[in-house]
Amino acid sequence: QSEVGAWIMLTRPVSGVVPAGKGSVEHLIRVGPQQLVGVLSEPAGDRLCIGAPTLLIANTAANPRIADGRLAVRLARSLAARGIRSLRFDSSGIGDSSERARDDQTDIPYSDQAVGDVVAAARWLKEAGHHKIVAFGICSGAYASLHAAARAPLAGVIAVNLPVFIWPRGQTLTNAVNNQTNSMRGYAASLRNLDKWRRLLAEGRDLRPVLRALIRFVADVMSVPVRRFMERVGRGGGKDTPRGLLRDMSARGIQTHLIYGTFDAGVDVVVRNFGSASSGAFAHLPNVSIDTQDALDHSLRGTAAAQYVIDRCTALLTGWHAPAVPAVSAGTIAKPKPKPKAETKTKRAIQ
């Protein structure tokens, strides 16, 4: 068996059934040596949107590839109707990529394996003829997509409600959940709510965890200008820090689009590492953008939240542009980039 064959393993469909719906055709496929199961969605007929990347949809936590409220299915078929291809798949140990689901799956989200599976799926798409690929994920899926984009041949990432940029070594999901606090905007809103003050006083709740979180938040925000200055003098953090990670990705032309609910705790992670969006948090990173919306709940269970993300992904992909490049230093002549190959339908390995 050839090296490519060993990697891609798409000699036949998992099922003989090829579902076709309004504007879309789907193929059940297996990816990589671990035979991860996924669904490749393509536009029906010749409605391919030239220039639009293929969307690679990662799992959210240990949920199967359909996602909460079948969001991944709705997203994939909506994109196909607009001429955009996508692949949604189950990572190792999840859904159809696990012979027997374990009761305890808390080690799957934020794991190196989850990131590696997204990388494997991206390489599969590359070998199948998809020239531009953008990873997409929600919460832990956003984390896996972000880190896969930093490692794999991806054009970018769309990360929804990303809770953390770097997962601390040794940190368990249980500990992270137990130590989780509300967002600062959430606390600010609660301070203006008299009913919550009455309940707080009546129940005698311990405010020390909130105060500790507030102190850490303020300290981190105050250190942002110092970190900016250190970057200007060439002493910025490495790729194992949030600023170093996005700085490296942006410099390499990998586009990162962050989408958050206004009250999502992940917004605090952005502010404490980059500053507020209103103060130009990513002004120094031309390939990074952020978008916040009041209607977005964390898991996109709300109808308005899900539809907003579907519409936003469609707009980003249909209008995908070449990445911004760093300014060329004086006296250096930039070499012209070769013209990209024309997009074609996926190379048919399924007969």
Side-chain angles (χ1 to χ4, degrees), residues 1 92 162 267 335 339:
Q1 189 175 17
S92 303
L162 175 70
V267 174
K335 295 181 180 179
K339 293 182 179 180

Side-chain angles (χ1 to χ4, degrees), residues 17-27 40-45 47 73 76-78 80-81 88:
V17 178
V18 179
K22 185 178 179 181
S24 67
V25 176
E26 298 189 326
H27 306 273
L40 179 67
S41 294
E42 296 188 298
R47 300 183 59 186
V73 178
R77 293 176 181 172
S78 177
R88 58 189 187 274

Side-chain angles (χ1 to χ4, degrees), residues 7 37 86 260:
W7 179 254
V37 178
S86 66
Y260 283 103

Side-chain angles (χ1 to χ4, degrees), residues 333-338:
I333 300 175
K335 295 181 180 179
K337 292 185 178 181

Side-chain angles (χ1 to χ4, degrees), residues 325-335:
V325 296
V328 179
S329 59
T332 303
I333 300 175
K335 295 181 180 179

Side-chain angles (χ1 to χ4, degrees), residues 100-243:
R100 183 179 299 172
R102 293 176 283 116
D103 291 333
D104 184 7
Q105 295 180 309
T106 56
D107 60 328
I108 295 177
Y110 308 102
S111 67
D112 290 338
Q113 182 63 60
V115 175
D117 288 343
V118 179
V119 171
R123 288 176 177 164
W124 181 89
L125 285 168
K126 276 285 185 182
E127 294 290 347
H130 299 251
H131 301 299
K132 286 187 293 186
I133 305 155
V134 171
F136 168 89
I138 304 166
C139 189
S140 64
Y143 178 88
S145 297
L146 178 72
H147 284 265
R151 302 181 193 178
L154 289 164
V157 57
I158 301 173
V160 181
N161 290 330
L162 175 70
V164 62
F165 287 94
I166 304 293
W167 187 258
R169 287 291 175 186
Q171 171 86 295
T172 65
L173 188 60
T174 301
N175 288 340
V177 172
N178 290 339
N179 295 326
Q180 188 175 21
T181 57
N182 195 1
S183 69
M184 291 300 134
R185 290 190 180 188
Y187 287 131
S190 296
L191 287 173
R192 298 189 294 270
N193 189 314
L194 290 177
D195 289 337
K196 290 194 175 182
W197 274 109
R198 294 191 190 99
R199 192 167 59 198
L200 180 70
L201 295 172
E203 296 176 0
R205 294 188 180 182
D206 185 4
L207 290 177
R208 286 175 296 180
V210 176
L211 292 175
R212 286 195 293 267
L214 177 61
I215 291 170
R216 288 195 301 269
F217 178 78
V218 171
D220 286 341
V221 171
M222 291 179 67
S223 72
V224 169
V226 176
R227 283 177 277 176
R228 287 176 180 167
F229 174 77
M230 295 301 289
E231 288 172 349
R232 291 194 191 101
V233 298
R235 300 294 298 273
K239 290 185 285 186
D240 58 344
T241 66
R243 294 182 68 90

Side-chain angles (χ1 to χ4, degrees), residues 34 48 58 60 88 104 172 192 308 313 347 350:
Q34 291 183 285
L48 189 63
T60 301
R88 58 189 187 274
D104 184 7
T172 65
R192 298 189 294 270
Y308 174 82
C313 286
K347 293 177 182 176
I350 300 176

Side-chain angles (χ1 to χ4, degrees), residues 72-91:
V73 178
R74 293 159 57 194
L75 173 60
R77 293 176 181 172
S78 177
L79 291 175
R82 296 291 298 271
I84 302 171
R85 300 169 293 186
S86 66
L87 171 63
R88 58 189 187 274
F89 77 104
D90 287 328
S91 188

